[in-house]
Amino acid sequence: MNSTLFLTGFGAYVVFLIWLGWYVSRHQKSGEDFLLGGRGLPLFLVLGTTVATMVGTGSSMGAVGFGYANGWAGTLYGIGGAVGILLLAYWFAPVRKLNFMTMSEELSYYVGANKIVKNVVGILIFIASIGWLGAHILGGGMYLAWIADIDLNTAKIIIAAAFTIYVVIGGYTAVVWTDTIQAIILFAGFILMAVLSVQHIGGLENLYAAMDPAAVSVLGIEKLGVIPALSLALVVGVGILATPSFRQRIYSGKDVQTIRRSFTMSGVLYLFFSIIPAVIGMSAHAINPDLNNANYAFPYVAATVLPVAVGMIVLIAGLSATMSSASSDAIAGVSILLRDIYIMFTGKVPGKDKMVTYSRYALVICISLALLFALTSNDIIGYITKMISTVMSGMFVCGMLGRFWSRYNWQGALATLAGASAASFSVMLNADWGAFWGNPVIPSVLTALLVGVGVSLLTPANTVTKEEAKALLDAERAAMEQNQEPDLEGRPVEAK
């Protein structure tokens, strides 16, 4: 595909996103408007933004590239994601009733609104948001560099700058509207690409003939091994259950029913969709088994198989999907930075009249940090799995124990977080362990669970009731909206 033609089309699309960001931002007045869309998102927007984020960097670049190298194992990414979003719908959608603004609020609520847990989780979630954001910049940069034939680092900077502009202008409302548009184009484009790519190589028989026989076994298990295959599906599911941007969709949804319905629909769609990236990846392998980087399989097929006009639309949609996923994580990172980390260091929250301005500055900071991470890596799946195992496995176990086990306490929560990271680092630093497990998520989750339960049982039970914990968090949140700062007991007092 002509690189000038593509860059022109992509530039026009970014201009449209910037206009849309401006258009939807005209009535924003508060931090909740900017960061949570006013907490009133209807079903079709929650569904659209959820689908677009799921069919983002991981599917368009990571899962297709994984299918290129490992055949039907490329479906594991989609299966893990579908299971994760369905469990999130039924286990955690009810927390919408509690009006949380960030995931650190939620996890601290489970252990008596403990400030130490809230601060530690806030820092971890901020790191996780920056990590996810970096993964999307990395994926989008690799995508753009290959299509437009430009320097990879330059492409990463262009991607970061492009979504920074429309998100800084429009906030979360811009994110969900652009996500919804992209979800429609992406779903249609992926299905069309899969059908045409199989036709291009002469049918499924030629698809299988081009692959290692082990790669076309059920879920590619003969190629990967049972435990590494389970690890890949699990790490994606854990990632969804602990990703701040998916929690942001719960906090911003209209009500529990709306969230649950949209997540269920997303999960079912994604489960059926899971085979599509594997088919595209294997088709790319049949067309050209000598790609320098398997992550380029998706844009390669789009540029090779599809008619020019259709290919450009699909490529732009695929690239914009990485930006939509990135923008969601950027908003989640800003929420944590202003709701948790800011108060950690200043003792107060930003005033209501300054919240939107501060949010825009914070977006630039978050995206700049993520860009620095992205400039140091070129492996999407490896980047994502290591980040989830190290940072997010502990938060996943924290959420599960806190939600379903009343004996859980703040000491157990801290042990959970520390145990998960320690186990993950242990596996990553031992090549034999890494080869056995595939990625560190299983030992990380098991260690977090064991130490979390053990330490909770060995230390005093939490004495703060759920009602008292909610009142403490509500007081902090009220202070933010009333331009006040909370006192040492969590009650709002007039800001000086």
Side-chain angles (χ1 to χ4, degrees):
M1 180 175 291
N2 184 286
S3 60
T4 301
L5 175 65
F6 177 80
L7 287 172
T8 301
F10 178 63
Y13 186 73
V14 171
V15 170
F16 166 72
L17 295 180
I18 292 170
W19 171 83
L20 183 61
W22 166 80
Y23 184 80
V24 301
S25 69
R26 294 171 301 157
H27 305 296
Q28 291 176 348
K29 297 179 181 179
S30 70
E32 285 202 353
D33 289 340
F34 190 85
L35 297 175
L36 294 172
R39 293 190 190 267
L41 297 182
L43 174 65
F44 82 99
L45 284 180
V46 178
L47 175 62
T49 187
T50 303
V51 169
T53 299
M54 295 182 75
V55 187
T57 305
S59 293
S60 62
M61 296 288 288
V64 173
F66 205 73
Y68 178 93
N70 300 288
W72 285 119
T75 62
L76 293 168
Y77 194 100
I79 292 171
V83 171
I85 199 71
L86 290 171
L87 293 178
L88 193 64
Y90 287 93
W91 286 346
F92 290 99
V95 304
R96 172 61 183 88
K97 298 176 182 177
L98 299 172
N99 288 328
F100 297 131
M101 191 170 183
T102 64
M103 193 173 172
S104 56
E105 280 189 347
E106 180 187 335
L107 296 188
S108 71
Y109 163 79
Y110 295 137
V111 291
N114 182 270
K115 288 187 177 295
I116 298 174
V117 171
K118 183 169 174 292
N119 290 343
V120 170
V121 171
I123 292 171
L124 287 175
I125 293 178
F126 182 69
I127 294 171
S129 297
I130 297 299
W132 276 116
L133 184 52
H136 301 313
I137 294 173
L138 167 60
M142 293 177 69
Y143 203 123
L144 181 61
W146 190 90
I147 299 167
D149 192 25
I150 60 177
D151 175 70
L152 178 56
N153 287 336
T154 301
K156 292 174 185 176
I157 293 170
I158 291 173
I159 292 296
F163 74 80
T164 297
I165 296 172
Y166 77 78
V167 179
V168 165
I169 293 172
Y172 193 63
T173 307
V175 170
V176 297
W177 273 104
T178 55
D179 280 0
T180 301
I181 294 169
Q182 290 156 2
I184 296 170
I185 299 173
L186 266 175
F187 242 80
F190 260 96
I191 293 171
L192 180 63
M193 191 186 305
V195 172
L196 293 180
S197 63
V198 172
Q199 289 181 352
H200 183 82
I201 61 174
L204 290 175
E205 293 178 358
N206 292 332
L207 184 80
Y208 290 156
M211 298 296 299
D212 178 346
V216 294
S217 61
V218 177
L219 300 179
I221 289 176
E222 291 182 18
K223 174 83 171 181
L224 290 187
V226 174
I227 293 179
L230 178 61
S231 290
L232 178 58
L234 182 61
V235 79
V236 178
V238 166
I240 293 215
L241 283 160
T243 294
S245 61
F246 283 102
R247 282 301 212 280
Q248 202 83 357
R249 285 162 173 78
I250 293 177
Y251 309 148
S252 63
K254 182 179 179 181
D255 51 43
V256 173
Q257 183 180 11
T258 298
I259 296 159
R260 186 165 276 168
R261 286 176 60 197
S262 65
F263 279 14
T264 301
M265 292 168 67
S266 299
V268 172
L269 283 171
Y270 202 55
L271 187 60
F272 284 106
F273 174 84
S274 64
I275 66 169
I276 300 296
V279 170
I280 296 172
M282 288 189 287
S283 297
H285 190 277
I287 298 168
N288 183 358
D290 299 315
L291 285 179
N292 292 330
N293 189 326
N295 288 311
Y296 295 139
F298 177 83
Y300 175 79
V301 171
T304 303
V305 173
L306 299 180
V308 173
V310 176
M312 187 170 76
I313 292 172
V314 171
L315 285 170
I316 289 174
L319 188 56
S320 66
T322 69
M323 295 195 301
S324 71
S325 300
S327 57
S328 297
D329 287 301
I331 289 289
V334 168
S335 298
I336 289 291
L337 186 60
L338 295 182
R339 174 64 183 88
D340 298 316
I341 295 178
Y342 184 92
I343 194 174
M344 193 186 310
F345 290 100
T346 66
K348 59 182 180 180
V349 290
K352 183 177 180 179
D353 59 330
K354 300 177 182 177
M355 193 62 179
V356 173
T357 300
Y358 279 25
S359 296
R360 287 177 169 143
Y361 286 136
L363 273 168
V364 175
I365 293 171
C366 290
I367 295 169
S368 298
L369 289 172
L371 178 60
L372 292 177
F373 278 102
L375 291 173
T376 66
S377 178
N378 293 324
D379 177 14
I380 296 172
I381 291 293
Y383 181 106
I384 290 174
T385 56
K386 289 175 183 177
M387 187 265 296
I388 291 175
S389 300
T390 304
V391 179
M392 304 179 71
S393 294
M395 294 193 296
F396 160 70
V397 175
C398 254
M400 295 297 296
L401 289 177
R403 180 87 169 83
F404 298 110
W405 189 41
S406 60
R407 183 62 177 79
Y408 198 46
N409 61 14
W410 68 268
Q411 296 95 329
L414 294 178
T416 297
L417 297 170
S421 296
S424 180
F425 279 123
S426 297
V427 173
M428 286 191 289
L429 293 173
N430 188 305
D432 292 336
W433 291 358
F436 177 80
W437 291 107
N439 67 67
V441 70
I442 293 178
S444 181
V445 167
L446 291 176
T447 302
L449 181 63
L450 289 173
V451 298
V453 171
V455 171
S456 292
L457 292 175
L458 293 172
T459 52
N462 175 40
T463 58
V464 180
T465 67
K466 297 297 186 186
E467 292 74 19
E468 291 169 338
K470 184 177 184 300
L472 289 170
L473 294 170
D474 286 345
E476 283 190 6
R477 205 175 305 113
M480 178 182 290
E481 291 302 313
Q482 297 170 18
N483 198 20
Q484 296 174 330
E485 55 183 272
D487 64 15
L488 294 177
E489 299 299 323
R491 296 183 297 265
V493 297
E494 290 299 328
K496 298 177 178 63

